[in-house]
Amino acid sequence: MGRIIIDPITRIEGHLKVEAVTENGVIKEARSTGTLFRGIEVILQGRDPRDAQRYVQRICGVCPTSHSTAATLNLDSAFGIADQIPENGRLLRNLILGAAHIADHILHFYHLCALDYVDVTKVASYQGNNSALNSVKDFIERGELGPFVPRYEGDYRLSDEANQQAVAHYVEAFNMRRKGQEMLSIFGGKMPHNCAIMPGGVTEVPTVDKIASFLWRLNELRDFIDNVYLPDVLAVAGAYSDYFEVGKGCGNLLSFGSFDLDVKETDLLKRDRLLKQGRLSADLKLEPVDTDKITEQVRHSWYSESNNGRHPSEGQTTPEPEKAGAYSWIKSPRYDGKVYEVGPLARMAVTYASGDPKVKAMVDGVLSHFNAQPGALFSVLGRHAARALYTKLIADTMPEWLLQLKPGEPVCADYEIPEESTGMGLVDAARGALGHWIEIKEGKIANYQCVVPSTWNLCPRDEQGQPGPVEQALEGTRIRDESNPFEIVRIIRSFDPCIACAVHLVTPKGKDLGKFRVC
């Protein structure tokens, strides 16, 4: 028996430790540990409900827009105005969220996970006029490889030319991500932590100039997605096709859907959305979501056992750092007692299973390209492909929303803060299903709970001993070289973890970071 500990996992958001027990080179048991305390919900107690969509954005600087959206839907629900949002408000919310997701997914593929597959040192042999590649080449010749190293070595399969092209795209993607954040800022005010999304709609008003400025950047991003991002994902998938068989996970998928197409329905799980709501297993049979069946378990989390098995609306955040048998600050969400994966794979697969013609054509096209069956989507490469296709879908839909904006018409509905109420906000964030729940008493927040995508995906075992999705994705994986476990980080990064979202509050005192050992 061997033991691999990676602490921290790098090129993700937040601090994650993973421990894997191996036997004959195969992972027999994996443990995912969030190493920071979760406390943002405690900070919200006693505050004005309208503070929620501002405070929750401070959970994470990478995906604050998704939290502001979930919080605002939560307040729409609690204030009784969920079906009163003006069309301009609905459209602008979609555009702000869409811009955030485009920037986020470009960041993930190029700057967080691409280096698992791209050998930057191949740029040393480059002979040409590309300024980005020549700059990287200069760094290599001077021995200054950061941020490309330290890294796990070996198993780089792209040709020298493909590696050089990928590195050039890595550099270009910084500019593309910036354009996505500029788009968000046009209607959101700033990034990170937009100040436009609010109960009833938005604060920003559309103008012809703003629409044109947004569209100009969007067209550049659509060109990059079509001609750079998607081809690069396909090139990696072609070279590493065995990763369609690696990292399957729990086999259950859940999506809350995202991007409202109207607001007539106050039940967010029945509302018409571009990306659909539902649950799937490996047979791709679509089932509905009932939020009453969502609970959070804490048997192996550093929280009081009195919180175990509660619905999020009744959840509490009571830390117990010395709890026996616990190994993570992340709770364990369960749906009807079962483990579910969330993320771009889940929402694209759910929308595919719903019969959406655009998504079906996109997914079938990729599957046909690799002569693969839908089951191949449950994998490392399936997650990357789904994320890229989702980015294209959003980018291609956003021009329609821009053209539907009507300058001069209302962007926000009036509302009053109730003395007592409850609310629920559900949306698919960049990394998956995101839920916010609020209880208001005497006009103030009495309780606030967030169940975030990386809580679903990176959670520890539950009281039945069921491993979380990432733990299940790791277990059964063969490690070629236990002193160089690149398979582990490839699997983990395919989920795009955001541990800051999962645990919420940074308390690093006494934590041992930067340690890697094999025994």
Side-chain angles (χ1 to χ4, degrees):
M1 302 287 283
R3 190 161 60 121
I4 300 172
I5 300 174
I6 307 177
D7 181 11
I9 300 289
T10 56
R11 282 191 275 121
I12 66 167
E13 212 300 317
H15 295 85
L16 176 70
K17 170 186 174 182
V18 168
E19 182 175 349
V21 176
T22 64
E23 182 178 351
N24 298 322
V26 176
I27 297 177
K28 295 299 183 182
E29 180 182 324
R31 290 197 170 193
S32 166
T33 299
T35 60
L36 304 178
F37 170 60
R38 171 179 182 155
I40 196 74
E41 297 97 337
V42 179
I43 295 172
L44 284 167
Q45 291 176 6
R47 298 188 179 275
D48 188 308
R50 293 168 297 183
D51 287 344
Q53 78 271 11
R54 299 290 168 254
Y55 275 72
V56 297
Q57 291 191 73
R58 273 65 188 177
I59 288 172
C60 177
V62 176
C63 49
T65 310
S66 295
H67 282 291
S68 68
T69 301
T72 302
L73 292 170
N74 194 13
L75 296 179
D76 288 345
S77 170
F79 295 174
I81 56 172
D83 59 351
Q84 299 173 30
I85 314 303
E87 275 294 281
N88 274 346
R90 175 185 69 83
L91 292 166
L92 287 169
R93 284 181 177 182
N94 284 351
L95 291 165
I96 293 169
L97 184 63
H101 284 197
I102 291 172
D104 202 326
H105 291 328
I106 289 173
L107 162 72
H108 173 257
F109 181 73
Y110 285 100
H111 306 131
L112 301 184
C113 77
L115 296 180
D116 290 336
Y117 308 95
V118 175
D119 186 357
V120 180
T121 63
K122 299 297 184 182
V123 176
S125 62
Y126 175 71
Q127 299 292 328
N129 299 320
N130 185 295
S131 58
L133 288 180
N134 282 322
S135 295
V136 174
K137 183 178 179 180
D138 288 342
F139 282 121
I140 293 173
E141 291 174 347
R142 295 199 302 268
E144 300 174 2
L145 278 172
F148 305 117
V149 295
R151 65 178 189 175
Y152 296 109
E153 298 297 335
D155 196 35
Y156 293 112
R157 307 178 193 173
L158 296 175
S159 67
D160 288 5
E161 182 180 355
N163 271 291
Q164 292 168 5
Q165 185 179 54
V167 173
H169 294 163
Y170 173 100
V171 176
E172 184 182 359
F174 282 110
N175 188 42
M176 291 298 110
R177 184 192 178 213
R178 176 176 60 83
K179 290 182 182 296
Q181 294 185 330
E182 287 174 350
M183 277 198 318
L184 192 161
S185 299
I186 289 169
F187 291 132
K190 64 188 183 75
M191 173 63 189
H193 313 317
N194 82 84
C195 51
I197 297 177
M198 61 171 290
V202 297
T203 61
E204 188 58 73
V205 295
T207 66
V208 172
D209 287 346
K210 290 174 184 175
I211 292 170
S213 182
F214 192 103
L215 182 60
W216 172 67
R217 290 170 172 82
L218 178 59
N219 286 338
E220 281 195 290
L221 282 163
R222 291 177 70 190
D223 181 70
F224 179 82
I225 292 165
D226 287 343
N227 298 309
V228 179
Y229 182 16
L230 281 168
D232 282 350
V233 171
L234 293 176
V236 167
Y240 296 86
S241 58
D242 51 315
Y243 275 80
F244 277 117
E245 305 294 330
V246 174
K248 176 182 177 181
C250 62
N252 297 321
L253 304 175
L254 183 146
S255 169
F256 289 155
S258 55
F259 301 104
D260 293 333
L261 300 181
D262 64 53
V263 295
K264 298 174 184 177
E265 177 60 66
T266 57
D267 185 340
L268 297 177
L269 291 173
K270 296 179 180 178
R271 181 172 284 182
D272 188 15
R273 287 181 158 176
L274 181 69
L275 280 300
K276 307 305 181 185
Q277 310 92 323
R279 297 179 293 116
L280 286 178
S281 54
D283 61 5
L284 296 185
K285 181 182 179 182
L286 185 61
E287 300 284 352
V289 176
D290 178 358
T291 56
D292 289 342
K293 295 183 178 181
I294 296 174
T295 59
E296 285 191 295
Q297 297 190 21
V298 297
R299 179 58 51 85
H300 294 286
S301 306
W302 286 303
Y303 297 98
S304 170
E305 196 67 18
S306 63
N307 299 324
N308 194 48
R310 293 192 182 201
H311 185 270
S313 64
E314 301 173 344
Q316 298 293 322
T317 305
T318 310
E320 192 175 311
E322 304 300 326
K323 180 178 173 181
Y327 61 91
S328 181
W329 283 111
I330 303 174
K331 297 180 181 180
S332 297
R334 294 294 182 262
Y335 183 91
D336 200 18
K338 297 179 180 178
V339 181
Y340 275 81
E341 175 183 336
V342 302
L345 170 60
R347 60 176 165 267
M348 289 297 283
V350 165
T351 307
Y352 177 92
S354 75
D356 182 274
K358 286 185 180 178
V359 171
K360 196 170 188 312
M362 295 169 75
V363 173
D364 284 343
V366 170
L367 291 173
S368 176
H369 180 82
F370 292 104
N371 194 28
Q373 297 300 314
L377 295 171
F378 292 79
S379 65
V380 169
L381 289 180
R383 294 184 191 100
H384 288 307
R387 189 173 284 107
L389 293 177
Y390 167 75
T391 306
K392 175 175 171 55
L393 176 67
I394 297 307
D396 288 349
T397 305
M398 288 169 75
E400 302 173 20
W401 294 333
L402 276 170
L403 295 176
Q404 292 171 27
L405 289 170
K406 296 179 180 178
E409 294 198 3
V411 296
C412 191
D414 293 330
Y415 61 84
E416 294 183 0
I417 301 175
E419 281 295 300
E420 293 192 6
S421 186
T422 59
M424 177 175 65
L426 305 174
V427 70
D428 247 48
R431 292 163 178 85
L434 171 64
H436 285 207
W437 284 262
I438 191 172
E439 180 183 9
I440 300 172
K441 288 185 177 180
E442 299 180 356
K444 302 294 184 181
I445 297 175
N447 192 23
Y448 202 101
Q449 291 292 311
C450 310
V451 181
V452 309
S454 289
T455 311
W456 287 97
N457 288 338
L458 279 297
C459 63
R461 284 161 168 72
D462 56 27
E463 60 185 354
Q464 285 77 37
Q466 298 179 103
V470 163
E471 292 178 335
Q472 291 192 40
L474 290 169
E475 291 177 354
T477 300
R478 178 168 294 280
I479 305 300
R480 184 184 304 177
D481 177 3
E482 293 189 13
S483 65
N484 190 40
F486 50 78
E487 297 91 348
I488 291 177
V489 292
R490 284 176 177 171
I491 292 170
I492 292 170
R493 290 185 186 124
S494 74
F495 286 86
D496 191 11
C498 183
I499 308 305
C501 287
V503 299
H504 292 188
L505 191 66
V506 177
T507 56
K509 184 178 179 180
K511 299 301 177 184
D512 185 7
L513 302 179
K515 178 172 65 177
F516 170 76
R517 71 177 184 272
V518 178
C519 58

